[in-house]
Amino acid sequence: MSETFPKDPESARPTMIDVAKRAGVGLGTVSRVVNGGAGVREETASRVRVAIDELGFQRNEVARALRPGKKSSSLALVLGDLTNPFYATIAKASLEVAGQDGFAVVLGSVDEDPEGERRAIQELIGRQVAGLMIVPDQGDHSFLRSAGVPVVFVDRPAHGIDADIVMVDNEGGGKLATDHLLQQGHRRIAILLAPSYYTTGRRLRGYRRACRAAGVEVDESLVIQLPEGTAEAAEKATRELMHRPDPPTALFASTNFLTEGVLRALRDVNGHSDAEPAEEPAVVGFDDFRLADMLPTPVTVVASDIAELGRTAARLLLDRAAKTDTRPPQRIVLPCRLIQRGSGERSVPK
């Protein structure tokens, strides 16, 4: 079962939180009325039903199935855009692990929208899910301290709460990519970065560490902070880089979408120009992608096991929900590996 929580509150489906505000009652009162529970005065229940009618609220079948005292058999996963293969892989792996333990997973996709994320999480808590897996945005998550259910963060840590986190070694992966290009003799290595989310910021740290260790001074004009993390933004930036008088000899794209943009730009620069073709730069991308090994020059990437990221997070959350794991919050970091395919093995032009 899957739901997408829209960014615009005006276009959002009414939630129990909205009903509670309209009726001037607590969320638990609304839940008891919606689920047919006892202990609500008729006058109050009537006010709740009026609010439900006015807002057009429709109760969710998952919430209906959860009666007071009944153990929840659902987990919640809140993440970004499901069209991104990264998030889709996490979701699929989490569903598989949860299903093996008889749990369903309710998906919420909020795509870097702090307000949408908070609304989605509060609604899911109101449905009495057994636990939350969250790919957090950059907002304050201190409100989750009183969630009453275990929380596992995936891919990025969160602010305002000490909780379990399962993530990729982004800094180590950034260093791995840059070390590889330095070993091919490159010194003018451009790095393209999506807006400063935690992951790409750590990949930049790895890039700087590798350059520093090699005694190479970073040319800050080659550190490209893109306005958005799209292939189109990376394509435009790469064209501009390659038309400089002193273009970089190597490019490190910090996400799979950015790698796509880099490859498009290089195809156009060298294949659709009246000018003398430029020397092809070396390219390393972060995160593998479909058909990367099938291109005319297969793409060298830093890869991690994204499915294992989802599986590990789901296993940890299930153990927390069952109270079989009572350790302090864990920080689990999964390693990266370099897959050499050709694009990252081009040496410096003579």
Side-chain angles (χ1 to χ4, degrees), residues 47-223:
R47 201 160 69 243
V48 171
R49 286 191 288 268
V50 168
I52 287 172
D53 290 341
E54 289 176 349
L55 292 170
F57 170 79
Q58 292 183 338
R59 55 186 177 181
N60 184 273
E61 292 303 317
V62 173
R64 289 182 65 186
L66 298 175
R67 297 292 186 261
K70 181 178 178 180
K71 183 179 178 181
S72 172
S73 59
S74 296
L75 304 177
L77 173 58
V78 181
L79 36 62
D81 182 5
L82 280 171
T83 63
N84 186 331
F86 178 84
Y87 293 124
T89 301
I90 289 175
K92 184 174 185 294
S94 302
L95 286 162
E96 289 173 352
V97 170
Q100 290 167 3
D101 273 25
F103 279 75
V105 176
V106 183
L107 298 180
S109 176
V110 292
D111 200 15
E112 309 300 343
D113 173 28
E115 287 305 313
E117 182 197 64
R118 184 169 183 137
R119 288 191 303 106
I121 290 170
Q122 288 175 331
E123 180 172 336
L124 290 166
I125 292 171
R127 298 178 183 191
Q128 306 172 41
V129 293
L132 292 160
M133 287 176 286
I134 305 171
V135 179
D137 60 44
Q138 300 180 83
D140 181 13
H141 290 81
S142 57
F143 70 96
L144 283 169
R145 293 175 189 166
S146 59
V149 295
V151 180
V152 175
F153 291 104
V154 185
D155 190 44
R156 315 166 187 163
H159 302 291
I161 182 174
D162 187 19
D164 293 309
I165 168 72
V166 182
M167 61 195 304
V168 167
D169 184 7
N170 290 290
E171 185 172 341
K175 185 176 186 300
L176 190 63
T178 311
D179 279 339
H180 183 66
L181 292 169
L182 289 165
Q183 288 163 10
Q184 312 308 312
H186 297 281
R187 295 298 179 266
R188 289 188 54 74
I189 304 170
I191 179 171
L192 281 76
L193 299 156
S196 56
Y197 303 136
Y198 176 89
T199 49
T200 52
R202 287 302 185 274
R203 292 167 194 178
L204 174 60
R205 284 177 59 168
Y207 165 89
R208 292 189 184 280
R209 272 182 55 202
C211 290
R212 188 164 56 248
V216 174
E217 184 176 352
V218 173
D219 180 348
E220 294 299 330
S221 73
L222 297 180
V223 178

